[in-house]
Amino acid sequence: MATESLTLHPSGSKMPLLGFGTWKIPKDSAADVVYKAIEAGYRLFDCACDYGNEIQVGQGIKKAIADGLVTREELFITSKLWNTYHHKEHVPLAFNRTLTDLGLDYIDLYLIHFPISLKFVPFEERYPPEWGNMEQDPVPIHETWAAMESLVHSGKVKNIGVSNFTAVLLMDLLSYAKVKPAVLHIEVHPYLNNADLIKFAQSQGLQITGYSNFGPTSYVELGSPAAKNAVPLFKEENLSKIAAHHNKTVAQVILRWLVQDKIAVIPKSVNPVRLAQNADIFNFKLSTEEMDTINGMSIPLRLNDPGVYANIPIYA
Ligand code: NAD
């Protein structure tokens, strides 16, 4: 499978433009799905404590390496620090749990999952802690970031970054970070192109990973009214026309639109046909007009908003 990569700063690591999302993959199938994704050519896996399946994802990776499908060095593994571990003493604790669960010696990219600090929950009480009772326990981001930097110095993390941060939070972080954030990981799909934030982050040397690339699809199953009320992207007229023109699917057009603009994608699918289809995006090119049409579709419609489901309005 032909793929391309982005160079991360300051490490110089290469991050594949195409990756595989592991949120909501059930524990009992995660090892098998990850193994099949590696067989299909995926090299980046987007994981998180919060997804509750890092042990099983790690088992899939381990088997693929043992079977000679891939080496550890050819893989790029991302994970994320959950909201209940923002205190400096909890960052290494949470990181080491993730590392052990995944069965790895190092992680390629570790992200602060949200700019939200919730009260610590001991592992014995609940893991992953999820949003729990959403009791906030404010920790300044500079404290969390310094602990993230220590992970880089330990050699167990190659790159650090942030997820669900706004431009203002990034400006603040960049003012003191000794190890600059390598990646900004945010919701990006045709209904929310996040163009201004992406432009700003790229101008500051960060690479972008867009998540929930298929927009409402992932949130309908969570019961989101906003997702249910939106026209599914797979049925949207402009996208369908562009897809027909290239003899590709709408999913492939959406992913192509992103990677063509140097935004890394991490589609999730447990279906082998779709999983292969989503990886087949490096052999066609969208015209400037087609790119503009998709850029013009932003409503904007944000689907992953803790202001809605956790009453913590980080985008207000
Ligand atoms: P997604 O946009 O990848 O969509 C997944 C849904 O689309 C699934 O229901 C799947 O069945 C369907 N689908 C996949 N390929 C398809 C195809 N070719 N044709 C038709 N349907 C198809 O959704 P997502 O899981 O929300 O996002 C991807 C990944 O991004 C996650 O798995 C996770 O790793 C990451 N993520 C990160 C955050 C964060 O806060 N940092 C939040 C959400 C997601």
Side-chain angles (χ1 to χ4, degrees):
M1 181 187 74
T3 188
E4 295 167 23
S5 59
L6 296 170
T7 301
L8 301 187
H9 310 290
S11 70
S13 303
K14 300 282 185 202
M15 180 174 83
L17 262 173
L18 171 73
F20 190 82
T22 64
W23 182 34
K24 296 194 246 118
I25 299 187
K27 281 192 179 95
D28 57 0
S29 55
D32 190 45
V33 169
V34 165
Y35 187 90
K36 290 209 170 77
I38 293 175
E39 259 184 334
Y42 288 87
R43 293 294 175 260
L44 184 151
F45 289 84
D46 184 71
C47 316
C49 148
D50 188 49
Y51 302 163
N53 56 11
E54 289 196 311
I55 292 178
Q56 294 75 19
V57 168
Q59 287 166 349
I61 292 171
K62 192 174 175 191
K63 185 170 185 323
I65 293 175
D67 290 356
L69 258 54
V70 76
T71 63
R72 168 67 186 95
E73 294 68 37
E74 287 165 340
L75 293 173
F76 187 106
I77 309 299
T78 302
S79 188
K80 310 185 191 81
L81 176 80
W82 187 240
N83 305 340
T84 49
Y85 307 122
H86 276 217
H87 280 284
K88 58 178 181 293
E89 64 275 22
H90 298 147
V91 173
L93 195 72
F95 172 75
N96 285 323
R97 171 75 191 248
T98 274
L99 198 63
T100 305
D101 283 359
L102 286 167
L104 300 174
D105 298 330
Y106 69 91
I107 282 175
D108 296 276
L109 174 65
Y110 198 49
L111 305 168
I112 297 181
H113 206 146
F114 282 94
I116 292 173
S117 177
L118 299 177
K119 193 166 176 286
F120 176 67
V121 178
F123 293 161
E124 315 78 74
E125 197 176 310
R126 205 167 63 246
Y127 192 89
E130 302 182 319
W131 290 87
N133 57 9
M134 304 189 199
E135 197 180 332
Q136 292 191 55
D137 178 13
V139 175
I141 288 166
H142 66 75
E143 177 179 324
T144 310
W145 192 253
M148 298 283 283
E149 291 175 329
S150 295
L151 296 178
V152 175
H153 300 319
S154 77
K156 289 181 180 172
V157 178
K158 305 281 182 203
N159 302 276
I160 48 177
V162 292
S163 181
N164 300 303
F165 272 44
T166 54
V168 172
L169 283 176
L170 262 190
M171 284 175 207
D172 188 56
L173 173 60
L174 288 165
S175 73
Y176 56 77
K178 295 192 186 79
V179 178
K180 301 283 182 214
V183 172
L184 173 66
H185 184 107
I186 46 171
E187 181 178 338
V188 190
H189 45 76
Y191 289 153
L192 178 71
N193 68 23
N194 251 323
D196 292 342
L197 176 57
I198 290 174
K199 197 168 156 201
F200 170 71
Q202 286 176 332
S203 78
Q204 300 300 307
L206 284 88
Q207 299 289 9
I208 311 297
T209 299
Y211 73 69
S212 297
N213 310 131
F214 302 138
T217 314
S218 175
Y219 296 85
V220 169
E221 68 191 55
L222 298 177
S224 154
K228 282 186 191 159
N229 291 335
V231 174
L233 284 169
F234 298 122
K235 296 208 170 117
E236 200 282 331
E237 207 177 325
N238 290 309
L239 291 171
S240 299
K241 274 190 201 150
I242 297 172
H245 175 71
H246 289 277
N247 202 17
K248 290 282 181 184
T249 66
V250 167
Q252 289 170 316
V253 166
I254 293 172
L255 298 174
R256 179 69 212 176
W257 162 66
L258 291 162
V259 298
Q260 201 163 306
D261 258 354
K262 305 287 174 224
I263 296 165
V265 295
I266 43 171
K268 171 244 168 183
S269 176
V270 295
N271 171 323
V273 174
R274 288 174 174 174
L275 185 151
Q277 183 193 112
N278 294 345
D280 184 23
I281 53 170
F282 292 100
N283 52 7
F284 74 111
K285 201 168 183 299
L286 300 175
S287 69
T288 308
E289 293 72 29
E290 289 168 334
M291 293 291 284
D292 288 347
T293 299
I294 306 175
N295 285 327
M297 287 174 58
S298 200
I299 295 172
L301 174 67
R302 187 184 298 284
L303 296 155
N304 188 4
D305 185 352
V308 172
Y309 58 76
N311 212 17
I312 305 175
I314 57 173
Y315 299 112

